[in-house]
């Protein structure tokens, strides 16, 4: 049962996406640690062999997006792509926790950062290092590009396909607390708040139509264009 549209894999709190390429698949992110069996189970359900994954792209290197990296890489043999700014931390296996953007997440972030200093991943030397603003993915059978969209983390990227599907990592999540409490797709964690706005603008100016976030279900880009924080920001500038 091959897939023709992006398959959302819910691996703990975070999503990974299996994206059909020309002849095989590209995997975007690898979910929370310890839940890779869910990914393998989903592949099995769709009768897809891990060997059909030809590339693993990491939108950024937070633990909830790289947790399954080592297992998936070993099973698939696929090379890994990451932005140059985060390649060294990935290679060193550093556990990186972003700053909070709301009072409660600021506290949680500080606690997480304290714990993180005692934790380590095995480390992974990525085969493909993304540099510059945008890079084509045509060599991997995907009609689209990978864009540098920092803010949530310095080396965050978004994968924008020509058909309008955009995989945005944690740039504009869509969790229940985004919808019910924050009434905004603004990330509860981000290292550079101004950078998030700039990357949102970059996304809004791109060919992105449907956003596939690292947390929560996909949504249309118009929802981001009408986001509460963008409207408030606009009003503040008037
Ligand atoms: Zn993140
Ligand atoms: Zn995340």
């Amino acid at each position: 049962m091959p897939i023709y549209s992006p398959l959302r894999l819910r691996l703990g709190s975070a999503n990974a996406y299996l994206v059909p390429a020309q002849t095989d698949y590209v995997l975007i992110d690898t979910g929370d640690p310890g839940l890779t069996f869910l990914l393998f189970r989903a592949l099995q359900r769709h009768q897809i062999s891990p060997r059909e994954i030809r590339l693993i792209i990491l939108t950024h290197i937070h633990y909830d997006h790289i947790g399954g990296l080592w297992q998936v890489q070993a099973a698939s043999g696929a090379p890994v792509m990451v932005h140059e700014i985060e390649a060294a931390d990935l290679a060193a296996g550093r556990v990186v926790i972003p700053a909070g953007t709301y009072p409660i997440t600021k506290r949680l972030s500080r606690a997480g950062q304290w714990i993180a200093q005692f934790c380590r991943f095995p480390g992974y030397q990525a085969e493909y290092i993304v540099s510059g603003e945008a890079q084509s993915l045509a060599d991997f059978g995907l009609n689209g590009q990978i864009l540098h969209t920092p803010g949530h983390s310095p080396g965050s990227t978004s994968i924008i396909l020509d058909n309008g599907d955009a995989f945005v990592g944690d740039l504009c999540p869509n969790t229940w607390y985004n919808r019910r409490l924050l009434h905004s797709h603004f990330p509860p964690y981000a290292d550079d708040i101004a950078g998030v706005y700039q990357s949102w603008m970059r996304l809004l100016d791109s060919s992105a139509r449907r956003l596939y976030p690292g947390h929560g279900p996909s949504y249309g880009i118009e929802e981001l264009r009408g986001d509460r924080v963008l409207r408030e920001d606009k009003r503040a500038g008037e």
Side-chain angles (χ1 to χ4, degrees):
M1 196 184 3
I3 59 165
Y4 299 102
S5 53
L7 182 66
R8 178 188 176 197
L9 302 161
R10 300 170 72 164
L11 309 175
S13 69
N15 301 321
Y17 293 98
L18 191 68
V19 183
Q22 237 145 48
T23 53
D24 36 27
Y25 300 92
V26 170
L27 180 69
I28 299 177
D29 287 341
T30 62
D32 271 300
L35 295 170
T36 320
F37 71 96
L38 294 172
L39 188 151
F40 291 131
R41 201 184 279 171
L43 290 181
Q44 210 171 23
R45 207 178 317 124
H46 288 271
Q47 294 171 353
I48 295 168
S49 154
R51 288 264 152 205
E52 291 177 74
I53 298 172
R54 73 181 292 178
L55 176 69
I56 301 167
I57 304 180
L58 301 174
T59 58
H60 63 301
I61 57 129
H62 291 157
Y63 71 93
D64 51 334
H65 300 262
I66 66 164
L69 175 63
W70 291 266
Q71 265 179 291
V72 186
Q73 203 285 325
S76 64
V80 174
M81 180 181 276
V82 73
H83 193 275
E84 61 178 344
I85 295 175
E86 301 193 2
D89 279 339
L90 179 66
R94 216 163 280 135
V95 178
V96 181
I97 307 287
T101 54
Y102 296 93
I104 185 155
T105 53
K106 280 181 185 164
R107 274 195 208 171
L108 288 169
S109 166
R110 277 195 292 272
Q113 283 169 349
W114 186 81
I115 295 167
Q117 60 184 323
F118 305 109
C119 306
R120 269 272 183 283
F121 282 110
Y124 190 90
Q125 201 86 46
E127 284 82 358
Y128 293 102
I129 311 285
V130 179
S131 58
E133 289 299 298
Q135 213 164 294
S136 166
L137 292 167
D139 285 351
F140 304 97
L142 274 188
N143 294 323
Q145 50 182 354
I146 178 163
L147 242 64
H148 185 207
T149 49
H152 171 69
S153 73
S156 279
T157 56
S158 297
I159 294 91
I160 317 239
L161 304 186
D162 293 352
N163 67 9
D165 287 345
F167 304 88
V168 294
D170 286 355
L171 180 61
C172 39
N174 190 27
T175 60
W176 68 268
Y177 51 84
N178 285 109
R179 294 191 299 269
R180 304 259 173 83
L181 296 180
L182 308 175
H183 303 290
S184 167
H185 294 291
F186 203 83
Y189 297 90
D191 288 323
D192 174 8
I193 289 175
V196 170
Y197 284 116
Q198 280 161 15
S199 290
W200 276 22
M201 290 310 179
R202 187 136 204 247
L203 214 54
L204 292 169
D205 285 340
S206 76
S207 57
R209 290 292 163 267
R210 182 140 208 98
L211 307 182
Y212 293 83
H215 300 270
S218 67
Y219 59 99
I221 190 136
E222 291 315 315
E223 218 176 282
L224 188 68
R225 208 180 295 279
D227 196 278
R228 181 178 65 84
V229 298
L230 274 189
R231 289 202 310 270
E232 281 173 7
D233 200 44
K234 221 181 191 172
R235 265 205 300 275
E238 277 167 5

mmCIF file of all heavy atoms in Angstrom, residues 102 171-172 182-186 193-205 211 219 221-238:
data_model
loop_
_atom_site.group_PDB
_atom_site.id
_atom_site.type_symbol
_atom_site.label_atom_id
_atom_site.label_comp_id
_atom_site.label_asym_id
_atom_site.label_seq_id
_atom_site.Cartn_x
_atom_site.Cartn_y
_atom_site.Cartn_z
ATOM 1 N N TYR A 102 6.795 31.993 27.018
ATOM 2 C CA TYR A 102 5.718 32.373 27.927
ATOM 3 C C TYR A 102 6.219 32.125 29.351
ATOM 4 O O TYR A 102 7.145 31.327 29.532
ATOM 5 C CB TYR A 102 4.470 31.525 27.657
ATOM 6 C CG TYR A 102 3.876 31.742 26.285
ATOM 7 C CD1 TYR A 102 4.233 30.925 25.210
ATOM 8 C CD2 TYR A 102 2.970 32.772 26.066
ATOM 9 C CE1 TYR A 102 3.703 31.136 23.948
ATOM 10 C CE2 TYR A 102 2.427 32.982 24.806
ATOM 11 C CZ TYR A 102 2.792 32.165 23.753
ATOM 12 O OH TYR A 102 2.260 32.376 22.515
ATOM 13 N N LEU A 171 8.433 25.749 14.037
ATOM 14 C CA LEU A 171 8.302 27.184 13.755
ATOM 15 C C LEU A 171 6.900 27.702 14.077
ATOM 16 O O LEU A 171 6.748 28.845 14.512
ATOM 17 C CB LEU A 171 8.634 27.424 12.278
ATOM 18 C CG LEU A 171 8.570 28.853 11.765
ATOM 19 C CD1 LEU A 171 9.553 29.757 12.501
ATOM 20 C CD2 LEU A 171 8.861 28.894 10.257
ATOM 21 N N CYS A 172 5.894 26.892 13.858
ATOM 22 C CA CYS A 172 4.499 27.329 14.103
ATOM 23 C C CYS A 172 3.647 26.104 14.420
ATOM 24 O O CYS A 172 2.875 25.657 13.586
ATOM 25 C CB CYS A 172 3.959 28.091 12.902
ATOM 26 S SG CYS A 172 4.448 27.416 11.301
ATOM 27 N N LEU A 182 -3.309 29.462 23.813
ATOM 28 C CA LEU A 182 -2.552 30.590 23.258
ATOM 29 C C LEU A 182 -3.318 31.278 22.125
ATOM 30 O O LEU A 182 -3.067 32.438 21.832
ATOM 31 C CB LEU A 182 -1.196 30.114 22.728
ATOM 32 C CG LEU A 182 -0.335 29.292 23.711
ATOM 33 C CD1 LEU A 182 0.926 28.789 23.001
ATOM 34 C CD2 LEU A 182 0.057 30.144 24.908
ATOM 35 N N HIS A 183 -4.222 30.552 21.491
ATOM 36 C CA HIS A 183 -4.936 31.048 20.304
ATOM 37 C C HIS A 183 -3.943 31.632 19.289
ATOM 38 O O HIS A 183 -4.158 32.690 18.716
ATOM 39 C CB HIS A 183 -6.000 32.091 20.692
ATOM 40 C CG HIS A 183 -6.979 31.533 21.674
ATOM 41 N ND1 HIS A 183 -7.899 30.565 21.323
ATOM 42 C CD2 HIS A 183 -7.163 31.764 22.986
ATOM 43 C CE1 HIS A 183 -8.613 30.228 22.387
ATOM 44 N NE2 HIS A 183 -8.182 30.935 23.410
ATOM 45 N N SER A 184 -2.865 30.922 19.131
ATOM 46 C CA SER A 184 -1.806 31.363 18.224
ATOM 47 C C SER A 184 -0.904 30.172 17.912
ATOM 48 O O SER A 184 -0.767 29.255 18.726
ATOM 49 C CB SER A 184 -0.970 32.457 18.890
ATOM 50 O OG SER A 184 0.210 32.673 18.139
ATOM 51 N N HIS A 185 -0.286 30.222 16.741
ATOM 52 C CA HIS A 185 0.686 29.188 16.399
ATOM 53 C C HIS A 185 2.089 29.575 16.855
ATOM 54 O O HIS A 185 3.065 28.935 16.478
ATOM 55 C CB HIS A 185 0.667 28.922 14.891
ATOM 56 C CG HIS A 185 -0.623 28.317 14.442
ATOM 57 N ND1 HIS A 185 -1.000 27.039 14.785
ATOM 58 C CD2 HIS A 185 -1.652 28.817 13.710
ATOM 59 C CE1 HIS A 185 -2.185 26.774 14.277
ATOM 60 N NE2 HIS A 185 -2.606 27.833 13.621
ATOM 61 N N PHE A 186 2.174 30.632 17.653
ATOM 62 C CA PHE A 186 3.496 31.026 18.128
ATOM 63 C C PHE A 186 4.086 29.917 19.004
ATOM 64 O O PHE A 186 3.404 29.385 19.882
ATOM 65 C CB PHE A 186 3.429 32.340 18.924
ATOM 66 C CG PHE A 186 4.755 33.028 18.941
ATOM 67 C CD1 PHE A 186 5.143 33.825 17.875
ATOM 68 C CD2 PHE A 186 5.639 32.843 19.994
ATOM 69 C CE1 PHE A 186 6.390 34.426 17.858
ATOM 70 C CE2 PHE A 186 6.883 33.444 19.981
ATOM 71 C CZ PHE A 186 7.260 34.236 18.913
ATOM 72 N N ILE A 193 12.781 35.306 19.338
ATOM 73 C CA ILE A 193 11.387 35.640 19.036
ATOM 74 C C ILE A 193 11.266 36.440 17.736
ATOM 75 O O ILE A 193 10.421 36.147 16.885
ATOM 76 C CB ILE A 193 10.762 36.399 20.232
ATOM 77 C CG1 ILE A 193 10.567 35.398 21.386
ATOM 78 C CG2 ILE A 193 9.441 37.058 19.857
ATOM 79 C CD1 ILE A 193 10.068 35.986 22.678
ATOM 80 N N ALA A 194 12.139 37.424 17.548
ATOM 81 C CA ALA A 194 12.112 38.219 16.305
ATOM 82 C C ALA A 194 12.373 37.310 15.104
ATOM 83 O O ALA A 194 11.790 37.488 14.030
ATOM 84 C CB ALA A 194 13.133 39.341 16.374
ATOM 85 N N GLY A 195 13.251 36.345 15.311
ATOM 86 C CA GLY A 195 13.578 35.391 14.242
ATOM 87 C C GLY A 195 12.362 34.568 13.834
ATOM 88 O O GLY A 195 12.195 34.252 12.655
ATOM 89 N N VAL A 196 11.514 34.225 14.808
ATOM 90 C CA VAL A 196 10.289 33.467 14.497
ATOM 91 C C VAL A 196 9.404 34.292 13.561
ATOM 92 O O VAL A 196 8.941 33.798 12.531
ATOM 93 C CB VAL A 196 9.510 33.102 15.785
ATOM 94 C CG1 VAL A 196 8.136 32.537 15.443
ATOM 95 C CG2 VAL A 196 10.292 32.106 16.629
ATOM 96 N N TYR A 197 9.208 35.577 13.889
ATOM 97 C CA TYR A 197 8.388 36.451 13.032
ATOM 98 C C TYR A 197 8.965 36.508 11.614
ATOM 99 O O TYR A 197 8.236 36.399 10.629
ATOM 100 C CB TYR A 197 8.348 37.873 13.594
ATOM 101 C CG TYR A 197 7.454 38.046 14.792
ATOM 102 C CD1 TYR A 197 7.972 38.408 16.025
ATOM 103 C CD2 TYR A 197 6.075 37.866 14.687
ATOM 104 C CE1 TYR A 197 7.153 38.576 17.137
ATOM 105 C CE2 TYR A 197 5.254 38.022 15.788
ATOM 106 C CZ TYR A 197 5.790 38.383 17.003
ATOM 107 O OH TYR A 197 4.983 38.534 18.085
ATOM 108 N N GLN A 198 10.289 36.707 11.551
ATOM 109 C CA GLN A 198 10.919 36.816 10.220
ATOM 110 C C GLN A 198 10.715 35.529 9.416
ATOM 111 O O GLN A 198 10.421 35.564 8.226
ATOM 112 C CB GLN A 198 12.413 37.112 10.367
ATOM 113 C CG GLN A 198 12.688 38.576 10.662
ATOM 114 C CD GLN A 198 14.066 38.805 11.263
ATOM 115 O OE1 GLN A 198 14.928 37.930 11.210
ATOM 116 N NE2 GLN A 198 14.275 39.973 11.840
ATOM 117 N N SER A 199 10.868 34.390 10.099
ATOM 118 C CA SER A 199 10.699 33.114 9.388
ATOM 119 C C SER A 199 9.239 32.883 9.011
ATOM 120 O O SER A 199 8.951 32.288 7.975
ATOM 121 C CB SER A 199 11.232 31.962 10.245
ATOM 122 O OG SER A 199 12.633 32.032 10.323
ATOM 123 N N TRP A 200 8.315 33.359 9.839
ATOM 124 C CA TRP A 200 6.881 33.276 9.470
ATOM 125 C C TRP A 200 6.656 34.063 8.177
ATOM 126 O O TRP A 200 5.969 33.602 7.270
ATOM 127 C CB TRP A 200 6.008 33.866 10.584
ATOM 128 C CG TRP A 200 5.685 32.917 11.692
ATOM 129 C CD1 TRP A 200 6.377 31.790 12.037
ATOM 130 C CD2 TRP A 200 4.590 33.022 12.610
ATOM 131 N NE1 TRP A 200 5.783 31.198 13.125
ATOM 132 C CE2 TRP A 200 4.689 31.916 13.493
ATOM 133 C CE3 TRP A 200 3.561 33.928 12.791
ATOM 134 C CZ2 TRP A 200 3.772 31.702 14.529
ATOM 135 C CZ3 TRP A 200 2.645 33.719 13.817
ATOM 136 C CH2 TRP A 200 2.750 32.615 14.673
ATOM 137 N N MET A 201 7.253 35.242 8.104
ATOM 138 C CA MET A 201 7.104 36.079 6.894
ATOM 139 C C MET A 201 7.680 35.358 5.686
ATOM 140 O O MET A 201 7.127 35.387 4.596
ATOM 141 C CB MET A 201 7.805 37.428 7.087
ATOM 142 C CG MET A 201 7.107 38.321 8.082
ATOM 143 S SD MET A 201 5.339 38.456 7.707
ATOM 144 C CE MET A 201 4.777 39.496 8.977
ATOM 145 N N ARG A 202 8.799 34.713 5.902
ATOM 146 C CA ARG A 202 9.459 33.972 4.831
ATOM 147 C C ARG A 202 8.533 32.856 4.321
ATOM 148 O O ARG A 202 8.403 32.632 3.122
ATOM 149 C CB ARG A 202 10.747 33.398 5.425
ATOM 150 C CG ARG A 202 11.651 32.755 4.457
ATOM 151 C CD ARG A 202 13.104 33.123 4.667
ATOM 152 N NE ARG A 202 13.769 32.930 3.415
ATOM 153 C CZ ARG A 202 14.691 31.992 3.211
ATOM 154 N NH1 ARG A 202 15.087 31.232 4.183
ATOM 155 N NH2 ARG A 202 15.228 31.855 2.022
ATOM 156 N N LEU A 203 7.896 32.203 5.285
ATOM 157 C CA LEU A 203 6.970 31.119 4.953
ATOM 158 C C LEU A 203 5.761 31.668 4.193
ATOM 159 O O LEU A 203 5.313 31.112 3.193
ATOM 160 C CB LEU A 203 6.504 30.500 6.272
ATOM 161 C CG LEU A 203 6.222 29.017 6.352
ATOM 162 C CD1 LEU A 203 7.409 28.204 5.873
ATOM 163 C CD2 LEU A 203 5.869 28.625 7.786
ATOM 164 N N LEU A 204 5.237 32.801 4.683
ATOM 165 C CA LEU A 204 4.047 33.404 4.058
ATOM 166 C C LEU A 204 4.351 33.893 2.647
ATOM 167 O O LEU A 204 3.468 33.948 1.798
ATOM 168 C CB LEU A 204 3.521 34.553 4.932
ATOM 169 C CG LEU A 204 2.917 34.119 6.284
ATOM 170 C CD1 LEU A 204 2.683 35.312 7.193
ATOM 171 C CD2 LEU A 204 1.630 33.337 6.086
ATOM 172 N N ASP A 205 5.611 34.245 2.403
ATOM 173 C CA ASP A 205 6.009 34.702 1.063
ATOM 174 C C ASP A 205 6.361 33.545 0.133
ATOM 175 O O ASP A 205 6.606 33.756 -1.049
ATOM 176 C CB ASP A 205 7.252 35.622 1.163
ATOM 177 C CG ASP A 205 6.869 36.996 1.686
ATOM 178 O OD1 ASP A 205 5.676 37.344 1.601
ATOM 179 O OD2 ASP A 205 7.761 37.710 2.192
ATOM 180 N N LEU A 211 0.578 23.554 5.991
ATOM 181 C CA LEU A 211 1.696 23.444 6.920
ATOM 182 C C LEU A 211 1.594 22.154 7.728
ATOM 183 O O LEU A 211 0.547 21.858 8.303
ATOM 184 C CB LEU A 211 1.709 24.659 7.867
ATOM 185 C CG LEU A 211 1.687 26.027 7.179
ATOM 186 C CD1 LEU A 211 1.742 27.145 8.216
ATOM 187 C CD2 LEU A 211 2.844 26.166 6.194
ATOM 188 N N TYR A 219 -2.389 22.269 8.916
ATOM 189 C CA TYR A 219 -3.385 23.335 8.747
ATOM 190 C C TYR A 219 -2.994 24.216 7.568
ATOM 191 O O TYR A 219 -1.852 24.195 7.106
ATOM 192 C CB TYR A 219 -3.540 24.152 10.038
ATOM 193 C CG TYR A 219 -2.281 24.840 10.541
ATOM 194 C CD1 TYR A 219 -2.052 26.189 10.286
ATOM 195 C CD2 TYR A 219 -1.334 24.147 11.275
ATOM 196 C CE1 TYR A 219 -0.915 26.827 10.750
ATOM 197 C CE2 TYR A 219 -0.187 24.775 11.750
ATOM 198 C CZ TYR A 219 0.016 26.117 11.492
ATOM 199 O OH TYR A 219 1.152 26.734 11.944
ATOM 200 N N ILE A 221 -2.170 27.591 5.357
ATOM 201 C CA ILE A 221 -1.302 28.738 5.649
ATOM 202 C C ILE A 221 -2.107 29.992 5.977
ATOM 203 O O ILE A 221 -1.624 30.876 6.680
ATOM 204 C CB ILE A 221 -0.305 29.002 4.496
ATOM 205 C CG1 ILE A 221 0.747 30.027 4.927
ATOM 206 C CG2 ILE A 221 -1.001 29.504 3.245
ATOM 207 C CD1 ILE A 221 2.131 29.713 4.554
ATOM 208 N N GLU A 222 -3.364 30.056 5.509
ATOM 209 C CA GLU A 222 -4.182 31.237 5.803
ATOM 210 C C GLU A 222 -4.368 31.428 7.303
ATOM 211 O O GLU A 222 -4.507 32.544 7.795
ATOM 212 C CB GLU A 222 -5.538 31.143 5.092
ATOM 213 C CG GLU A 222 -5.448 31.277 3.581
ATOM 214 C CD GLU A 222 -4.545 32.424 3.132
ATOM 215 O OE1 GLU A 222 -4.664 33.522 3.711
ATOM 216 O OE2 GLU A 222 -3.703 32.209 2.239
ATOM 217 N N GLU A 223 -4.369 30.289 8.018
ATOM 218 C CA GLU A 223 -4.508 30.339 9.470
ATOM 219 C C GLU A 223 -3.297 31.052 10.088
ATOM 220 O O GLU A 223 -3.435 31.792 11.061
ATOM 221 C CB GLU A 223 -4.588 28.904 9.993
ATOM 222 C CG GLU A 223 -5.555 28.722 11.124
ATOM 223 C CD GLU A 223 -5.663 27.276 11.546
ATOM 224 O OE1 GLU A 223 -6.359 26.496 10.853
ATOM 225 O OE2 GLU A 223 -5.040 26.919 12.544
ATOM 226 N N LEU A 224 -2.137 30.825 9.519
ATOM 227 C CA LEU A 224 -0.930 31.492 10.029
ATOM 228 C C LEU A 224 -0.955 32.982 9.663
ATOM 229 O O LEU A 224 -0.579 33.839 10.458
ATOM 230 C CB LEU A 224 0.326 30.835 9.437
ATOM 231 C CG LEU A 224 1.651 31.298 10.032
ATOM 232 C CD1 LEU A 224 1.788 30.845 11.480
ATOM 233 C CD2 LEU A 224 2.840 30.784 9.224
ATOM 234 N N ARG A 225 -1.428 33.254 8.443
ATOM 235 C CA ARG A 225 -1.513 34.649 7.999
ATOM 236 C C ARG A 225 -2.431 35.465 8.918
ATOM 237 O O ARG A 225 -2.194 36.633 9.176
ATOM 238 C CB ARG A 225 -2.064 34.695 6.554
ATOM 239 C CG ARG A 225 -1.597 35.894 5.759
ATOM 240 C CD ARG A 225 -2.183 35.879 4.363
ATOM 241 N NE ARG A 225 -1.730 34.764 3.549
ATOM 242 C CZ ARG A 225 -0.571 34.734 2.908
ATOM 243 N NH1 ARG A 225 0.243 35.760 2.964
ATOM 244 N NH2 ARG A 225 -0.216 33.673 2.197
ATOM 245 N N GLY A 226 -3.491 34.812 9.435
ATOM 246 C CA GLY A 226 -4.438 35.520 10.298
ATOM 247 C C GLY A 226 -4.127 35.334 11.776
ATOM 248 O O GLY A 226 -4.978 35.605 12.613
ATOM 249 N N ASP A 227 -2.931 34.847 12.101
ATOM 250 C CA ASP A 227 -2.617 34.520 13.502
ATOM 251 C C ASP A 227 -2.710 35.748 14.413
ATOM 252 O O ASP A 227 -2.331 36.855 14.035
ATOM 253 C CB ASP A 227 -1.203 33.927 13.588
ATOM 254 C CG ASP A 227 -0.977 33.228 14.917
ATOM 255 O OD1 ASP A 227 -0.672 33.912 15.914
ATOM 256 O OD2 ASP A 227 -1.138 32.005 14.960
ATOM 257 N N ARG A 228 -3.220 35.507 15.605
ATOM 258 C CA ARG A 228 -3.406 36.572 16.600
ATOM 259 C C ARG A 228 -2.126 37.408 16.785
ATOM 260 O O ARG A 228 -2.190 38.638 16.769
ATOM 261 C CB ARG A 228 -3.804 35.936 17.936
ATOM 262 C CG ARG A 228 -4.048 36.910 19.052
ATOM 263 C CD ARG A 228 -4.476 36.178 20.307
ATOM 264 N NE ARG A 228 -3.429 35.313 20.830
ATOM 265 C CZ ARG A 228 -2.441 35.728 21.629
ATOM 266 N NH1 ARG A 228 -2.373 36.979 22.001
ATOM 267 N NH2 ARG A 228 -1.526 34.890 22.061
ATOM 268 N N VAL A 229 -0.994 36.748 16.957
ATOM 269 C CA VAL A 229 0.217 37.531 17.254
ATOM 270 C C VAL A 229 0.643 38.385 16.063
ATOM 271 O O VAL A 229 1.167 39.483 16.233
ATOM 272 C CB VAL A 229 1.403 36.660 17.742
ATOM 273 C CG1 VAL A 229 1.065 35.957 19.032
ATOM 274 C CG2 VAL A 229 1.862 35.697 16.701
ATOM 275 N N LEU A 230 0.377 37.909 14.850
ATOM 276 C CA LEU A 230 0.719 38.732 13.673
ATOM 277 C C LEU A 230 -0.182 39.948 13.600
ATOM 278 O O LEU A 230 0.252 41.048 13.294
ATOM 279 C CB LEU A 230 0.569 37.919 12.389
ATOM 280 C CG LEU A 230 1.742 37.069 11.934
ATOM 281 C CD1 LEU A 230 1.486 36.524 10.543
ATOM 282 C CD2 LEU A 230 3.041 37.844 11.956
ATOM 283 N N ARG A 231 -1.477 39.750 13.913
ATOM 284 C CA ARG A 231 -2.428 40.865 13.881
ATOM 285 C C ARG A 231 -2.049 41.901 14.936
ATOM 286 O O ARG A 231 -2.046 43.090 14.676
ATOM 287 C CB ARG A 231 -3.852 40.339 14.123
ATOM 288 C CG ARG A 231 -4.404 39.526 12.951
ATOM 289 C CD ARG A 231 -5.923 39.501 12.990
ATOM 290 N NE ARG A 231 -6.439 39.121 14.294
ATOM 291 C CZ ARG A 231 -6.700 37.881 14.693
ATOM 292 N NH1 ARG A 231 -6.496 36.885 13.868
ATOM 293 N NH2 ARG A 231 -7.185 37.627 15.892
ATOM 294 N N GLU A 232 -1.694 41.404 16.147
ATOM 295 C CA GLU A 232 -1.316 42.333 17.224
ATOM 296 C C GLU A 232 -0.044 43.094 16.879
ATOM 297 O O GLU A 232 0.094 44.269 17.136
ATOM 298 C CB GLU A 232 -1.134 41.558 18.535
ATOM 299 C CG GLU A 232 -2.462 41.231 19.185
ATOM 300 C CD GLU A 232 -2.322 40.310 20.389
ATOM 301 O OE1 GLU A 232 -1.196 40.027 20.805
ATOM 302 O OE2 GLU A 232 -3.378 39.907 20.900
ATOM 303 N N ASP A 233 0.872 42.364 16.261
ATOM 304 C CA ASP A 233 2.148 42.957 15.872
ATOM 305 C C ASP A 233 1.925 44.080 14.861
ATOM 306 O O ASP A 233 2.497 45.148 14.950
ATOM 307 C CB ASP A 233 3.011 41.854 15.243
ATOM 308 C CG ASP A 233 4.472 42.223 15.257
ATOM 309 O OD1 ASP A 233 4.920 42.707 16.293
ATOM 310 O OD2 ASP A 233 5.142 42.026 14.222
ATOM 311 N N LYS A 234 1.001 43.812 13.936
ATOM 312 C CA LYS A 234 0.666 44.772 12.896
ATOM 313 C C LYS A 234 0.043 46.031 13.528
ATOM 314 O O LYS A 234 0.406 47.149 13.218
ATOM 315 C CB LYS A 234 -0.338 44.140 11.936
ATOM 316 C CG LYS A 234 -0.065 44.455 10.477
ATOM 317 C CD LYS A 234 -1.143 43.782 9.713
ATOM 318 C CE LYS A 234 -0.990 43.719 8.256
ATOM 319 N NZ LYS A 234 -2.038 42.876 7.730
ATOM 320 N N ARG A 235 -0.892 45.769 14.466
ATOM 321 C CA ARG A 235 -1.564 46.891 15.146
ATOM 322 C C ARG A 235 -0.544 47.736 15.898
ATOM 323 O O ARG A 235 -0.606 48.955 15.881
ATOM 324 C CB ARG A 235 -2.616 46.359 16.119
ATOM 325 C CG ARG A 235 -4.012 46.318 15.510
ATOM 326 C CD ARG A 235 -5.080 46.385 16.569
ATOM 327 N NE ARG A 235 -5.009 45.277 17.509
ATOM 328 C CZ ARG A 235 -5.563 44.090 17.299
ATOM 329 N NH1 ARG A 235 -6.213 43.867 16.178
ATOM 330 N NH2 ARG A 235 -5.482 43.131 18.186
ATOM 331 N N ALA A 236 0.409 47.055 16.567
ATOM 332 C CA ALA A 236 1.423 47.761 17.358
ATOM 333 C C ALA A 236 2.274 48.643 16.459
ATOM 334 O O ALA A 236 2.761 49.697 16.868
ATOM 335 C CB ALA A 236 2.296 46.772 18.110
ATOM 336 N N GLY A 237 2.449 48.213 15.204
ATOM 337 C CA GLY A 237 3.294 48.960 14.266
ATOM 338 C C GLY A 237 2.565 50.142 13.630
ATOM 339 O O GLY A 237 3.182 50.970 12.973
ATOM 340 N N GLU A 238 1.250 50.203 13.792
ATOM 341 C CA GLU A 238 0.467 51.258 13.132
ATOM 342 C C GLU A 238 0.497 52.571 13.930
ATOM 343 O O GLU A 238 0.666 52.566 15.137
ATOM 344 C CB GLU A 238 -0.964 50.794 12.939
ATOM 345 C CG GLU A 238 -1.110 49.928 11.675
ATOM 346 C CD GLU A 238 -2.441 49.188 11.609
ATOM 347 O OE1 GLU A 238 -3.308 49.411 12.483
ATOM 348 O OE2 GLU A 238 -2.584 48.361 10.709
#
